[in-house]
Structure formats: structure tokens, C-alpha cells
Amino acid sequence: MSGMNETHGGWFTPGQIAGFVSLLVLGAALGVGSYQAGHRLAGTGGGAVVTAASSAATPDGSVLYAGNCAGCHGAKAEGGVGPALKVALAWSAADFRHAVLDGKTPDGRTLGVVMPRFATTGLDGAPPTDAQMDAIQAYVKTLQ
């Protein structure tokens, strides 16, 4: 019995391990690069402007969406790094909040790890309010 794996006790060769590690590093770099590119495309440059608009009595859903969602979901919620948001149109306000804040869909599916858990990260560094969530959801509905 002569085989490549027999000389290594049935384990992976050093070359195979190096190739796998290289793929992991490349995948992580592409994911981070895509996320950052999405933020640049969303025009989120001035955090102070977004924060000031977010703290207003009536939040501007378009500003909140541009600063927190468009980078991944596209300027018109058509999808990009993240999925299109067409499915979210049928969600109740509570379902929408649960998805955005906690990363869970109404059917209990956990959203991908790239999706921020805004209950933890906040919107522009501050804990999200119900008014902000309502404004974002209302704005997303105008895009479809």
C-alpha cells in the first residue's frame, strides 16, 4: 500500500494545510474589503452628520439607512454584500426590529455573521430607538 497520505499517518500534508490556511486568509480579506467598500459606496463619511440626524425628534430613515444599511444591502435595498430586503417588506415592526437588532428572522433563522447585531453595536454608536427602527423600515418600504 503506497499512498500519499500513508507517509503522513493519514493526516493532511503540510502543503494542503498551507493551502487551506491561505484560502481562509483570502476569504477573510475579501469579506473585510467588501464590507469596507460597501460603507464607502453608502457615503457614510461624516459620522457627525448621521449622528445629528439620528438624534432628531423624528429620525430620517433615509439617512439612517444610508449610514447603517446601504453599504451591504445596496442604495435601493437591491442587495450587494448582503441580500435584497424585499422579504422584509412583509415583516411586522417587531419582526423587523428583531432581525436588525438581534440577527434573527421571523422564522427563527439566524442572519449571517456579517450582519451587525445593532442591539449590541448601536446605530452610529448609540443604542437604537424604536423611532429609528420605524424610520428605517418605513424608508425600506419606499425603495421596493
Side-chain angles (χ1 to χ4, degrees), residues 9 16 18-20 27-28 57 59 63 86-87 92-93 95 97 102-103 112 114 120 137-138:
Q16 290 171 322
F20 181 71
V63 171
K86 190 169 222 151
V87 68
S92 69
D95 289 340
R97 283 188 187 106
D102 306 315
V114 176
T120 304
Q137 186 180 23

Side-chain angles (χ1 to χ4, degrees), residues 14-76:
Q16 290 171 322
I17 293 170
F20 181 71
V21 169
S22 296
L23 283 174
L24 286 176
V25 170
L26 178 64
L30 286 173
V32 169
S34 296
Y35 185 75
Q36 291 172 341
H39 274 283
R40 284 191 301 274
L41 288 173
T44 59
V49 173
V50 174
T51 301
S54 299
S55 62
T58 304
D60 185 336
S62 66
V63 171
L64 289 166
Y65 181 84
N68 296 284
C69 312
C72 290
H73 294 289
K76 300 200 182 296

Side-chain angles (χ1 to χ4, degrees), residues 73 83-101 103-111 115 133-134 137-138 140-141:
H73 294 289
L85 298 179
K86 190 169 222 151
V87 68
L89 296 176
W91 293 351
S92 69
D95 289 340
F96 185 81
R97 283 188 187 106
H98 191 50
V100 172
L101 298 176
K104 293 278 189 182
T105 64
D107 62 1
R109 186 175 55 87
T110 300
L111 298 175
M115 172 68 183
M133 293 287 91
D134 291 343
Q137 186 180 23
V140 167
K141 287 182 178 185

